[in-house]
Amino acid sequence: MATKQSLLLLALLAAAAVAASAVTDVEYCNKGKKYPVKVSGVEIVPDPVARGEPATFKISASTDKTIGKGKLVIDVKYFFFYVHSETRELCDVTSCPASGDFLVAHQQTLPSYTPPGSYTITMKMLGDNDEELSCISFGFSIGFAASEATI
């Protein structure tokens, strides 16, 4: 009997973990451009993001190239205002050399005073000589309710 209860609890926890993460729609910056890196999706955990708590952005991608180094340039807008910009070494957020299917994972803790609402991230992946490997844009939300955020 305890085994059935344990399995049920495990199944419920797995379902809750899947429900807590959502795959976000992604748009390419230049819809007509053939980027060497194709992005198949972005997962944001938790969604909505909670102020003062770590949030993880996971980008599923693939390429026919072998990427040994590069940069990830991240710009964040709140409505039409740029509120944050940073550049990371690509090999700090994925396994290098990257080829075939790979995952880019970036974790960020937003300050507790971050305004709730809708934000847009533009993320450029640059290779050697600043070659644009990919450029995507996607939205995310920061929770309004106090229960969704640490104040």
Side-chain angles (χ1 to χ4, degrees):
M1 185 71 159
T3 304
K4 286 182 183 180
Q5 289 174 339
S6 298
L7 289 174
L8 179 61
L9 179 60
L10 185 60
L12 288 173
L13 288 173
V18 169
S21 65
V23 176
T24 301
D25 291 332
V26 176
E27 291 185 18
Y28 286 102
C29 301
N30 182 344
K31 292 176 179 68
K33 186 172 181 177
K34 302 285 186 203
Y35 292 105
V37 173
K38 309 290 186 243
V39 174
S40 57
V42 174
E43 179 184 9
I44 303 169
V45 180
D47 189 12
V49 172
R51 297 173 286 175
E53 299 291 327
T56 302
F57 298 84
K58 297 178 185 176
I59 296 97
S60 299
S62 63
T63 185
D64 293 333
K65 297 180 74 152
T66 299
I67 303 167
K69 64 180 183 174
K71 294 183 277 189
L72 193 64
V73 180
I74 302 166
D75 290 314
V76 182
K77 287 194 299 188
Y78 181 60
F79 296 104
F80 298 103
F81 302 103
Y82 282 95
V83 294
H84 180 73
S85 184
E86 70 179 272
T87 301
R88 296 258 175 136
E89 290 298 319
L90 189 58
C91 295
D92 290 346
V93 294
T94 193
S95 298
C96 283
S99 63
D101 294 335
F102 65 99
L103 184 71
V104 174
H106 173 69
Q107 188 174 53
Q108 186 84 34
T109 300
L110 301 174
S112 59
Y113 56 81
T114 303
S118 296
Y119 290 75
T120 302
I121 290 181
T122 299
M123 190 176 294
K124 290 183 184 178
M125 198 176 298
L126 305 175
D128 289 338
N129 303 317
D130 288 336
E131 172 195 7
E132 192 172 68
L133 301 174
S134 194
C135 181
I136 59 169
S137 179
F138 59 91
F140 73 100
S141 295
I142 296 178
F144 283 94
S147 62
E148 293 175 347
T150 304
I151 298 176

